[in-house]
Amino acid sequence: MLEFIVASAILLSLILYVLMGGADFGGGMWDLLASGPRATQQRKAIADAIGPIWEADHVWLILVIVLLFTGFPRGYSVIMTALNIPVTAVLIGIVLRGSAFIFRKYDSKSDAVQHRWSTLFGTASFFTPFFEGVVLGALTTGQIHVEGSRVTTGFFAGWLTPFAFACGVFSFGVFAFLAATYLTLETEDQPDLQNDFRLRALWSGLVLIPIGVIILLISKQGAPDLFHALTRWWAPLLLGWTSFFATTALASLWLRHFTVARMAAIGQVTLILVGWSLVQYPHLVMPDVTLLNARAPEVTLRLLVLALGIGAIMLIPSLILLFHIFKGKQSPRWKVNY
């Protein structure tokens, strides 16, 4: 029971990371792809949207890692060993992206310097989500094998596969879709910019459909457990609700109901991650590492759950206050500028 609580906390943290930190990465992608007569305004809108809170969004990824190595040390060891290369790429990308964003803000304002930092910021915003998706996809392939706590399939199994790469492409597609959808509300007082991001959200949302179909088709060979999971009782229900939210998001964007579009996009992405977790359950790494055989001792799990409860009491109000200060509708007297 305790291991299920910790695993649920990991999933919730992962969902929050994708919904918030993932949208920040998507903003970096659109920053790199900014074009047309309003390219400068597009980049400014993106920077204004993510500037005050982008560091706080990574708290959820940190929480995922801490819960994993504390609650499931064997699973953490296997993942960090077998997927050392893509995980390292993710860490490098996070550092490069954050550094480029800050240096662009405070370095020289000359076009050459700004272009250099923007290119690095945007490029890192592309390849980091790609490798994050590759890591999640690799966990489902069933190609990573373990004897005891020793990975027997080396450093290249699982993630150097068409299925994992397709998951990587789907990952940055999701992040781009979330960012563009969120930005339609961030630019509500600038109709031309709002329409720019509306069109980007529509296109990126539509592109997710064929990518999802490709993932499904190649999963029969690339991730057979995932493919067979689609025969379980909950699969049609989950796919139906996910499709409903996706359709609602796209229709709302087309009709310019941007608040509804954002809520539908959040529902769509949440259900995608819930579906992935249901496919994985009870495994952390298919087929050899499960919640039960990777769990920490009972006393550790008990203390971890207690720490989660205490931490939530302090963390959640702090984040609510942060978002209220920087994202809330405030009078000019209280407005805080980045």
Side-chain angles (χ1 to χ4, degrees):
M1 182 60 182
L2 290 175
E3 66 272 7
F4 179 78
I5 294 174
V6 176
S8 298
I10 291 175
L11 174 61
L12 178 59
S13 301
L14 183 63
I15 290 172
L16 290 171
Y17 173 68
V18 170
L19 293 177
M20 291 188 279
D24 288 350
F25 280 109
M29 298 178 202
W30 295 123
D31 185 282
L32 183 66
L33 297 176
S35 60
R38 291 180 293 276
T40 301
Q41 293 96 312
Q42 290 167 13
R43 291 192 175 98
K44 185 179 185 305
I46 291 166
D48 289 344
I50 70 177
I53 58 171
W54 68 277
E55 287 183 296
D57 291 341
H58 283 292
V59 71
W60 302 113
L61 180 60
I62 295 169
L63 185 57
V64 168
I65 295 171
V66 171
L67 291 176
L68 184 60
F69 76 66
T70 306
F72 305 99
R74 180 169 177 256
Y76 175 84
S77 174
V78 169
I79 292 170
M80 295 303 162
T81 301
L83 302 177
N84 178 268
I85 295 172
V87 168
T88 300
V90 168
L91 295 177
I92 291 172
I94 289 173
V95 172
L96 287 178
R97 176 182 174 275
S99 301
F101 185 68
I102 289 299
F103 278 118
R104 186 179 69 171
K105 174 71 177 180
Y106 295 106
D107 203 348
S108 167
K109 300 304 179 183
S110 70
D111 289 344
V113 171
Q114 289 292 298
H115 178 72
R116 181 177 68 232
W117 291 124
S118 292
T119 300
L120 181 58
F121 172 59
T123 302
S125 295
F126 265 97
F127 81 73
T128 306
F130 172 76
F131 281 108
E132 288 175 339
V134 165
V135 168
L136 292 184
L139 299 178
T140 316
T141 60
Q143 297 185 17
I144 299 172
H145 294 287
V146 181
E147 291 182 4
S149 294
R150 186 172 66 87
V151 176
T152 59
T153 44
F155 297 106
F156 302 101
W159 68 275
L160 284 180
T161 63
F163 176 79
F165 280 16
C167 289
V169 174
F170 188 79
S171 176
F172 70 64
V174 166
F175 289 5
F177 172 63
L178 279 175
T181 303
Y182 290 178
L183 283 162
T184 59
L185 285 175
E186 296 285 344
T187 55
E188 58 186 350
D189 57 341
Q190 303 173 76
D192 289 340
L193 276 181
Q194 187 178 55
N195 192 57
D196 288 343
F197 290 119
R198 167 181 168 267
L199 294 175
R200 286 162 169 77
L202 282 168
W203 281 112
S204 56
L206 288 170
V207 166
L208 289 176
I209 298 173
I211 299 174
V213 171
I214 291 171
I215 289 175
L216 178 62
L217 292 176
I218 63 179
S219 66
K220 186 172 184 179
Q221 297 296 326
D225 287 323
L226 180 147
F227 184 81
H228 293 309
L230 297 178
T231 62
R232 299 177 190 172
W233 66 269
W234 48 262
L237 186 63
L238 185 71
L239 289 172
W241 276 104
T242 303
S243 300
F244 168 76
F245 280 117
T247 303
T248 300
L250 293 173
S252 299
L253 287 166
W254 181 260
L255 297 172
R256 301 177 186 272
H257 299 316
F258 298 118
T259 300
V260 176
R262 178 165 66 176
M263 298 306 297
I266 289 172
Q268 175 189 353
V269 174
T270 298
L271 288 181
I272 289 171
L273 289 170
V274 169
W276 170 81
S277 70
L278 289 174
V279 168
Q280 283 279 104
Y281 185 80
H283 296 88
L284 285 171
V285 183
M286 292 182 174
D288 299 326
V289 184
T290 67
L291 297 180
L292 285 177
N293 67 28
R295 70 197 296 271
E298 186 81 9
V299 64
T300 301
L301 291 175
R302 191 177 299 117
L303 290 172
L304 183 57
V305 170
L306 178 62
L308 272 172
I310 296 173
I313 293 172
M314 296 184 290
L315 175 63
I316 294 175
S318 300
L319 288 173
I320 291 173
L321 177 60
L322 176 71
F323 275 84
H324 174 72
I325 290 173
F326 287 105
K327 295 295 185 181
K329 302 297 183 182
Q330 307 166 55
S331 65
R333 184 165 71 92
W334 291 104
K335 188 67 177 178
V336 179
N337 294 316
Y338 172 62

